[in-house]
Structure formats: C-alpha cells, structure tokens
Amino acid sequence: METFKDLDLASPIAKALLAMKFEKPTPIQAAGIPVALAGKDLIGVAQTGTGKTATFCIPILTRLLKNPGKTALILAPTRELAAQIEELWRGLTKYTPDHRAVVLIGGVAMQPQVRALRAHARVLIATPGRLVDHLQRGTVSLNSIEVLVLDEADRMLDMGFAPQLNQIMKYVPKQRQTLLFSATWSKEMDNLASKYLHHPEKVAVGNISRAAPKIAQFAIQTTQQAKNDLLLEELNARQGSVLVFARTQSRTDRVAKFLMSYGMLVNRIHGGRTQAQRTSALAAFKSGGVRVLIATDIAARGIDVADIAHVINFDLPQVAEDYIHRIGRTARAGTSGEALSFVAADERGQWRDIVQLLKKTGSSLPEMKGVTSSQLNPAEMSGGADASDRAAAKAGRPQRPSRGPRSERPNHRQDDRRDSRSEPRAEGPRTPRAPVASSGVKIVLGGGPRL
Ligand code: AMP
C-alpha cells in the first residue's frame, strides 16, 4: 500500500485525510489498516508517534459508516491520550460529523459526560476507571459495541488497570473486532491478547521498543544537587519547545519553582493537578505560549504536540522502556529532535539499563558528555551566578535572567566562592555549540568517561 488511495476508502474519509494532510500512510498504517479493514483482530506493536491512532480510527469509521446501529469503544490509559484520540477522530469525521465521539475520562464532572452519552455517540473514548464508574451507575451501555480498541495496552497494565479491563470486558459483546496496540511486547501482553483477542494478526513496526532514529540523544553526568543549574543552563542554550521529565509530582513542582524564580515561564503537568490545570498547561504548551513543560511520566504519556524540539530527562525514568517513550515525544511522525538526559551518580544503574535496552533493540546510543562543571566541586553544586553564566557568556548564549527578590531565591550560599574550578576541567574547554536543524544549538563534548 503506497498511498491511502490504494485502500479505496469511503469518500468522506479520503477527503478528511486530504484535509488533515495525511498523504502517505506510515508503516504501521500500511501494515495494520488492511488487516483491520478485513475485519480481523489486530495486534499493533508500535511506539508512539508512528501514526497508530489513525491505524485504528480509519477502519473503525469505515465500519461504522456501513453499520449505522453500531458503535466502537477505544480504551486508553490516560486522559491526555484519550483527548488526543478524540482530536484525530474529529479530523477524520470532518465530513461525517454525525459520527461523534464522547470522551469519558476521570478528573472531570460525570454529568456532562452523561448528557453527551444520551446524545448517541458513535465512539466512546475512555480511560478504564471512568468507564467502570459509568457502567456501575448504568449511565452507559456497551451493547452495540462492534469494535474494541485497547490503546497503549502495555501502559494500561503498568498502571494497574487489569481489574478494570476485566470488568469492562463483561459488558462488551463477545462478537466483536478487537484491536490491541502496545509500544512494547511482553509475556503479560501475550496473556492479555490471548484472553481478549481472537486469532489476531500481529504487525510490528521496526524493532519492539526501538527509539525513533531521528532523535539525537545526549547524556550528561552530573549530581542531584547540580541538576537545577544545569537545567537552567541547558534551557537558556536552546530554542524551541522543551519537555522536561521529573520523577515525581513534588520534584516537578520544585523544578518549576526554581525556574520561575529565574523569571522563566514554565508550566507543569502531573497526576496531582486538576484536569483543568492539566488541560490549560498542555494548551499553553501546544500553542507555543509556554515553551517549557515539566511533566511526570504518566501525565506526559501520549502527549502529542507537534514540534517538541527537545526532551530533557531531568530525572531518569525508573523503567528503562519509559526512556524510549519519553524521547519519543520529540521527533514525532518523522521530524527530528533532540533528547538530553541528566545522569546523577545514584542513577547509574538506571542508565545502564537504558543503554542495555537501546542496544538490545538496535536503537542508536546516546552520546555521553563529560563531567559537568558543577560536578567538580561539591561546594559549588548549589549554583548561583557561576559556571553556567560564564560558559553561556563564552558561547555567546543568553545568560540566566536576573533573579527575583531574595526571599524567592533558592538558598545559594556559595555564590561568592566561585573560581576557576567551576569551569569544565576533565574535558578541557567546552566545544562551542554547533547548530542543528531542530534546536539551533547542540553541545558536543568529546568522549567523556563512560558510566
Ligand atoms: P500517533 O502515533 O497516532 O500519535 O500519531 C503521531 C502524529 O502523526 C499525529 O500528530 C498524527 O496526526 C500524525 N500522523 C499520523 N498519520 C499520519 C500520516 N499518514 N501522515 C502525516 N501525519 C500523520
């Protein structure tokens, strides 16, 4: 299948694809859509950003157009992913707007969802927890479901949704088509597939869990204490949008506070924020109003923002596979991007796991940068107008903005004790940053010590 025309799609779908500027199918679409259109159960192993959403939405709409009384259910692990699926669905139904989708996600009021359900949606896009709520209250019926999608099924299991899936399956008709998508494949996924799918055909795009090849990956050895300053330095040195990953909700908050104390405009999303806060943070990031978004893994999963130029792993993920998911936020749908990871001494084990996974999956390996300036002398780790400013000045980059009032400033007592020790030492002088297409800046420090 070379183009979407080869699929002989119904004309409102073909027209909508043109309007969305989808001309050539992506590999998962080329492999998966014909299988799903033939009515077979499908397992799609594809990482995010590969076009997997349209791989199930196009066959669903084709089927619903032919069967006016039928509906489809798409289960997704997070609210953000559900919202993004709906966005694609809306584009795809531009010329068949009566094929509405209803999004059933937690963290928002039930009542508007109940009202929307009464208006006969053709597709339900739901997170498992909220769908179970509706089922228990009797506000939704799944009797007319003809196609079921389990999107990012690996993540749903990771997030502990197996009991909810079990419950939901009791309400879904046995006679149905089931499409399962997952970025990774494991024994658990095998079990899930054999439980819910019927003679599925499996299509995998590239190696399982392989990092998208167009992402330039870098890593810096540093310390926990030096991370804040390093982040500030790296953000100042970059142009374009940056998604920063922190390990926990409180760390996300702390990093945001630190950057804001230097006058930087940032937003944050994590599971502890309300849905309204998450939605507005994401909207501001998408529109370019806020350049830096700080997120935890779960909140960031499935974020589909075009043109994220950089991903920075402020903290390494606990699970190596999340590294691939995280850096997959950049370089989506074939564009290029850059990913940078901070590796503190207590994260070396995680880093080894990540490198091992990258090797195993045939992905390209990150380039390791040298020991950072602030790592050399622990007395200087808490930052201040120090090495980062001087390095920035040297490289002709913008320096950190002037600080806010003292009361808002982090407690840096070492400011006056800076000296030449804070300059990069182990690696010699810092190589000037070379321009790259996506970001405008790139640090290349030759072969630092391996972790
Ligand atoms: P997904 O993996 O489904 O999240 O898709 C990643 C991004 O690629 C989304 O922004 C889609 O709108 C876009 N996309 C999906 N399929 C195509 C296509 N065939 N041509 C161009 N863009 C696409």
Side-chain angles (χ1 to χ4, degrees), residues 255-296:
V255 173
K257 204 166 158 197
F258 172 80
L259 294 175
M260 286 189 292
S261 78
Y262 283 96
M264 204 170 257
L265 203 58
V266 303
N267 252 329
R268 67 212 146 91
I269 70 172
H270 57 59
R273 305 205 80 203
T274 65
Q275 185 57 34
Q277 288 171 326
R278 288 161 66 158
T279 306
S280 86
L282 198 55
F285 188 59
K286 270 189 174 182
S287 69
V290 172
R291 186 173 77 93
V292 180
L293 182 67
I294 307 160
T296 55

Side-chain angles (χ1 to χ4, degrees), residues 4 17 20-29 33 46-56 58 81 84-85 87-88 151-152 302-306 329 332-334:
F4 284 113
L17 288 173
M20 292 159 79
K21 302 205 165 39
F22 285 18
E23 282 151 21
K24 259 183 77 165
T26 64
I28 185 75
Q29 290 164 359
I33 293 176
Q47 59 199 64
T48 43
T50 54
K52 66 184 170 56
T53 315
T55 308
F56 56 80
I58 292 172
L81 184 60
Q84 277 164 204
I85 297 168
E87 204 176 313
L88 189 125
D151 193 15
E152 298 201 350
I303 284 181
D304 180 25
V305 179
R329 312 290 91 218
R332 282 173 94 81

